[in-house]
Amino acid sequence: MKYINHKLIGLAVATALFTACVDEYECNLQVEKPEEVAGSEYLATFDVLKSYISRDANSPFKLTANLNPSDFTAHEVAYSTIINNFDGIDVDSTTYMPATSVNDQGAYDFGGMSTLADALAGTDVTAYGGTLASYQGQRAAYYTEQFEPTIIPYEPEKGRTVLFNFEADEIGTAYEMSNGSVAIVETDPDDANKKVLHVGTDDNKAAYSFPKFNVKLPEGRKLGDYVTIELDMRIVNQDGLFGTGMYVFINGQKFAVGVNAQNLGCNPNQWNRGAIIKMNNATAPGFELPDELKSLNECPQISN
C-alpha cells in the first residue's frame, strides 16, 4: 500500500521556496595596498645600502647621510636607518659653528656634541661636520668686545696763559703806545680793590694808537699753540665803541679782527668779560696767523 507522508511534502516545499529566494552574486572587490606599505615591501626587496659598496681595503670611501644630530640622538627611525645603511652622518655645518656653540662671553657649550658622541658610542657610524674654528658664523658680540678700541681718556691742556692782568703793577705804571700816547694802570672804576689799564689817556693822541706789550710765553709753548686771545674790556663813554674795526699787531704785522668793540659785546661804561678773538681763524672775530709767527715763544710786540 502506497502512501504520502505529509511532513516530507512540507519540507520539500519549504526547501523549494527558500532556494527560489536566493539570487546569484559574484564578488570581485579589488583592494590596493597603502602606498607606505607598498613602498616598505619594495624596499624590503633590497639589502641594506652599504652592502652594495665594493669595499676595497685601500678605498677611503664612506657612505654618509646628512642629518640633524637631534634626529639621530632620538633613537627612532632616523637612528635605525643610519645604523643599518650608512657608515657615517654628516652633521650640518651650521650646527656646531661658533655662533651656535659659543656664548657672548666666549665660552664653548659642548653639551650637544657630547650627546651625539654618546649616541654614536658602540656603533660603526662616524660623525662628520663643520669646523669649530670657522671664520663663518662668529659670535659677533663677543669678538666686537674683544677688538673694541681702548679709549685712553685724554684731557687736552686748556690752560689759559694770563699775560697781563695789571694787578701786580703799581698805580700809575705807564705802558707805551704808538702815536705817542700812553696806557696807565688805574683803579678799577667798579672795584677799588682791583687794577685796570686805561688805554689812551691822552685824547689827542689816542686815536689810532695801540698799546705795546712785550710777550714771553711759558717755556715750551709757542704762539701757534694758542687758538684765542681773550680780553676784558670796558669802553669809556662811547670812545672806541664803534669804528671800522679792531686790529691786532704782532711783531709789527697788522691783522684785522673784522669787528669793532660793539660787535664783541661791549657797551659804554660796562665791563665786557672774556671777549674772544680767534687766532688762525679768519672768521670774525679772528685772523689768520702766518706760519713764520707760529714758532715764536717771545714776541717783542703784541698789541690790540
Side-chain angles (χ1 to χ4, degrees), residues 143-179:
Y143 289 110
T144 298
E145 181 181 349
Q146 297 304 305
F147 295 114
E148 203 171 52
T150 301
I151 299 177
I152 302 175
Y154 169 70
E155 183 67 28
E157 187 177 354
K158 299 179 181 179
R160 298 166 62 195
T161 300
V162 180
L163 297 176
F164 304 100
N165 65 5
F166 312 108
E167 294 294 338
D169 292 342
E170 296 290 337
I171 296 295
T173 300
Y175 286 86
E176 181 186 358
M177 293 181 62
S178 62
N179 202 27

Side-chain angles (χ1 to χ4, degrees), residues 4 72 77 85 103 119 122 137 203 225 239 248-249 259 267 270 281 290 297:
I4 297 174
F72 185 82
V77 176
N85 292 278
N103 61 24
D203 292 339
D225 295 332
D239 297 337
V248 173
F249 286 82
V259 296
N267 293 302
Q270 295 180 12
N281 188 331
N297 171 263

Side-chain angles (χ1 to χ4, degrees), residues 67-113:
L67 186 67
N68 189 307
S70 61
D71 293 333
F72 185 82
T73 56
H75 288 80
E76 295 179 352
V77 176
Y79 175 83
S80 58
T81 300
I82 295 296
I83 292 295
N84 293 317
N85 292 278
F86 296 91
D87 300 312
I89 59 173
D90 179 21
V91 178
D92 190 343
S93 60
T94 62
T95 301
Y96 298 130
M97 66 180 182
T100 54
S101 302
V102 184
N103 61 24
D104 288 340
Q105 286 70 47
Y108 273 89
D109 178 7
F110 296 103
M113 285 176 270

Side-chain angles (χ1 to χ4, degrees), residues 177-184 198-207 209:
M177 293 181 62
S178 62
N179 202 27
S181 185
V182 291
I184 304 296
H198 187 166
V199 176
T201 56
D202 187 341
D203 292 339
N204 296 323
K205 298 180 180 180
S209 181

Side-chain angles (χ1 to χ4, degrees), residues 46-59:
F46 296 94
D47 202 348
V48 295
L49 289 180
K50 57 187 178 182
S51 67
Y52 292 93
I53 300 174
S54 297
R55 298 292 181 175
D56 189 318
N58 297 320
S59 174

